[in-house]
Each structure stands twice: as C-alpha cells, then as structure tokens.
Amino acid sequence: MADRDMAWFCAYTPVELIRAAGFRPVRRFGDPHGLEAADTYLHPALCPYVRACLAQALDQAPPHHAMFVNCCDGMRRLHDAWKALFPESFAFLMDLPRRTDERGREALGREFARLLGALEEFAGRRVTPDDLLRACREERELQLAYRRTVEGLWGAARVAAAQAAQEDRAPAVEAADHVSTGVPVLLSGNLLNPRGLLSILERAGARVVWADLCNGDRPFTAEAPVTGADRPRILRELAARYLERHPCARMADGERRYRLLVERARECGALGVIYASLKFCDSYLYDFPRLRERLRREEIPVLRLESDYADGHAGQLLTRVEAFLEMIAG
Ligand code: SF4
C-alpha cells in the first residue's frame, strides 16, 4: 500500500474529503477466496466482504490508513480489528445517519466536518474551500467517466468497471468479457463478486441491465454538483449529494428505495428482479420481505439468492437461476 493510499469500504465514504486532504482514496474489495486468513480476528459468521478485506490487509505491507463507516456491526468489527492490528496507521470511524431528510443531512454534514478535522490533523495541513471544491469536481468527473464507460455494458463487466472506478484505476473492459444478450433482469443487493455470482447469472442466460449494488451502479446515481462558497456549506451540500443517491437497504427511506427500483426496472426493460446479498447481512435480510411485497403488487417477479462472496457453489445456483429466467421469459 502506497504511503498516501487511504483504504475505504462503504459506498457512503466521502472520498472527496480524503482527496482534498492529499490522500488517494482506494476502495478495497478483499480477496473473496482467502477469507479464512481473517478467522483469528473476526468470527466466521460475519460478513464475508469484511473478512475478505481484513485478510487482504494482513497480506499487505504497512501503512494501512483506512476510513470506516459505522453502517453495520461487521464494519464496526472490521474497524476494531484494524485499530488493534495496525496501530501505526490512520483509522477513522464515521457515523452514518439512517434518515435522508434535512436532519439526516445536517448530521452527516457534522460527521464530514469531524472526519475532515481528523484528516487535517493527520496530514498536518489545513484543507481550504478551494481544495474541497477541486476534489468534488474531480470526483464528479470520475463518476461521469464511469457512466460513459458503462454505456452498453451489462452485468459482470459493468460491476467490474464500477469496482475499478472505486479503486481509483482505469477500467479495463475486455469486449469478450461482457454479455449483450440474455433475459434482462435487475440485480439488487449489497456487494457481490463480479467473478462469482454475477458470472453465474450470465452463464444461466441473464443480462443484468442495472446493478443496484454498492459496488455497482448505486454510488454513481447522484446528480447535484457541489458549489458552496465556504467550508460548512460545501460539507452540507456534499452530505446532501451522498444522501440523494439510490439508498442502500441500511437507510431508513425504504419507500423511496422501492419506488426507485421499480422505476429503474421498468426503464431498463427488466423482466424480473434478482435479489442477492452476502451472508450474515441483517440490513438486506430485513429489507427483502418488504421489497418482495412491493414487487408483487407491481407484478414484477423476484428471485432471492445468497452469496458467500467466493460463490463456489455454482451448480446449485445455476439451476435455480435458469428456472427463474425460463419462467419470466415466458
Ligand atoms: S451495503 Fe450499504 S451500508 Fe453496507 S457497505 Fe454497502 S453502502 Fe455501506
């Protein structure tokens, strides 16, 4: 890990603040096949993404600067283990409100200010409003570049491009890598391995036209530019921008989330929804019954799958997905 790299894990991480303070934000996706390496420090019945990220860090040379969001128990445990294992590195845990209204925006703006203060202290320099606005513009450019890159790309290739953008590297899209035919479906969930479950869906004949994932299209859905004249206003606008995105199931505004999913499914011509989430994620387990009811009322068929992040159990999943696709394609 380079000296100025700052690892991050949750899609609500304000990467603009990390950039403005002179660091390079790099989202970590861990090693989906090596999570056992984290078992000494994290319980095996914990989010496999979290365990994969710790396993990857254990294998990397210091420093291990990292920024955490207090969005679930798994992330809190990752932060605790990280602080204990890498005490020489920067580690900050930011609170994330569940509500996305005015009070939510104010609370998130305050958290951004707290984070920025900690980054300034660690970097030993003051961040000016110009630094912040420049970082916001750069991040917006990257987001727009992602949208241009994924035009006409589906499924695993689209999610791989989203991951590359979050890892701060140029997406390498191989033409052979992407699927342009198949039964159109919308995929919704937390975070999935593009080389695991997504490739299984494609082998079964699905064309994922929208990836409502936190390592897929969701982080690229905010529109508002940040133009504030002073630091408090910039941070408030930035907070509003993060809360304007298509919400993750961990947020309180489920109704907005369901409405946006239904609209998106119709817009993309999806014939059904595949709802897939990583094991042990309570937010997505609680979310599913309500979403299923909403989709039932809209007459949109849905299939629920679970992922262990590595997704070695392909045969069993293939059969279920093939049967679902056959049913919705009529
Ligand atoms: S699923 Fe939601 S809360 Fe969890 S890491 Fe992704 S954006 Fe953050």
Side-chain angles (χ1 to χ4, degrees):
M1 196 167 162
D3 277 7
R4 306 306 285 177
D5 283 3
M6 178 78 63
W8 59 279
F9 310 94
C10 169
Y12 285 93
T13 305
V15 288
E16 292 83 350
L17 304 191
I18 297 173
R19 258 185 225 294
F23 296 94
R24 176 175 171 243
V26 184
R27 190 171 189 183
R28 297 292 177 204
F29 293 101
D31 172 8
H33 301 284
L35 23 160
E36 293 75 21
D39 284 358
T40 312
Y41 309 101
L42 295 173
H43 197 281
L46 197 75
C47 169
Y49 168 57
V50 158
R51 289 165 59 221
C53 288
L54 187 66
Q56 185 188 39
L58 288 168
D59 205 33
Q60 287 171 330
H64 294 95
H65 305 319
M67 157 70 219
F68 301 84
V69 175
N70 187 1
C71 55
C72 63
D73 193 49
M75 286 291 173
R76 278 189 293 277
R77 300 291 79 81
L78 179 62
H79 167 257
D80 294 346
W82 205 279
K83 278 198 83 148
L85 285 164
F86 313 121
E88 79 296 345
S89 300
F90 177 88
F92 187 92
L93 180 68
M94 185 194 87
D95 273 331
L96 175 67
R98 283 182 189 275
R99 45 200 301 171
T100 57
D101 58 4
E102 188 50 36
R103 284 178 64 188
R105 289 193 285 275
E106 273 172 28
L108 189 57
R110 280 196 300 274
E111 277 304 286
F112 283 3
R114 202 169 66 84
L115 165 65
L116 191 55
L119 284 167
E120 286 177 324
E121 195 183 325
F122 182 64
R125 60 176 277 246
R126 177 89 181 148
V127 173
T128 65
D130 279 349
D131 294 331
L132 286 170
L133 289 172
R134 193 176 330 109
C136 290
R137 273 197 306 275
E138 277 174 28
E139 190 53 35
R140 194 153 185 269
E141 279 304 313
L142 288 172
Q143 299 211 350
L144 294 174
Y146 163 80
R147 291 196 208 172
R148 286 193 296 272
T149 305
V150 298
E151 264 174 41
L153 274 190
W154 316 111
R158 194 174 173 102
V159 175
Q163 288 202 173
Q166 296 183 329
E167 287 170 318
D168 200 32
R169 61 180 174 83
V173 179
E174 304 289 335
D177 251 13
H178 77 89
V179 168
S180 54
T181 57
V183 181
V185 293
L186 183 147
L187 177 64
S188 182
N190 43 16
L191 182 143
L192 297 170
N193 176 3
R195 306 233 168 262
L197 194 127
L198 269 133
S199 61
I200 295 169
L201 299 183
E202 290 178 349
R203 271 167 51 202
R207 179 161 52 98
V208 175
V209 289
W210 182 258
D212 172 55
L213 303 174
C214 85
N215 63 329
D217 288 305
R218 205 156 54 217
F220 302 92
T221 49
E223 295 289 340
V226 174
T227 54
D230 53 38
R231 181 166 165 142
R233 263 184 284 182
I234 294 172
L235 296 184
R236 266 204 311 275
E237 282 181 28
L238 191 60
R241 186 170 152 79
Y242 272 84
L243 296 178
E244 175 206 325
R245 294 168 166 192
H246 285 207
C248 138
R250 184 263 180 205
M251 306 307 268
D253 54 355
E255 272 316 307
R256 178 168 164 257
R257 171 173 152 70
Y258 305 145
R259 178 175 51 75
L260 289 171
L261 278 181
V262 169
E263 282 171 14
R264 191 62 78 170
R266 302 238 189 270
E267 238 173 73
C268 299
L271 298 179
V273 169
I274 295 183
Y275 190 94
S277 58
L278 291 174
K279 277 183 165 179
F280 311 118
C281 177
D282 292 343
S283 299
Y284 280 80
L285 282 174
Y286 290 132
D287 179 63
F288 181 63
R290 287 174 61 202
L291 175 64
R292 180 178 52 194
E293 177 52 25
R294 177 65 187 263
L295 293 174
R296 192 188 60 74
R297 277 191 270 136
E298 303 284 343
E299 299 185 359
I300 300 176
V302 58
L303 173 70
R304 165 99 172 95
L305 301 174
E306 201 172 57
S307 161
D308 64 6
Y309 203 32
D311 303 318
H313 51 309
Q316 204 189 2
L317 284 182
L318 256 182
T319 316
R320 289 185 60 203
V321 179
E322 280 168 352
F324 178 70
L325 296 177
E326 206 178 301
M327 189 259 296
I328 62 176

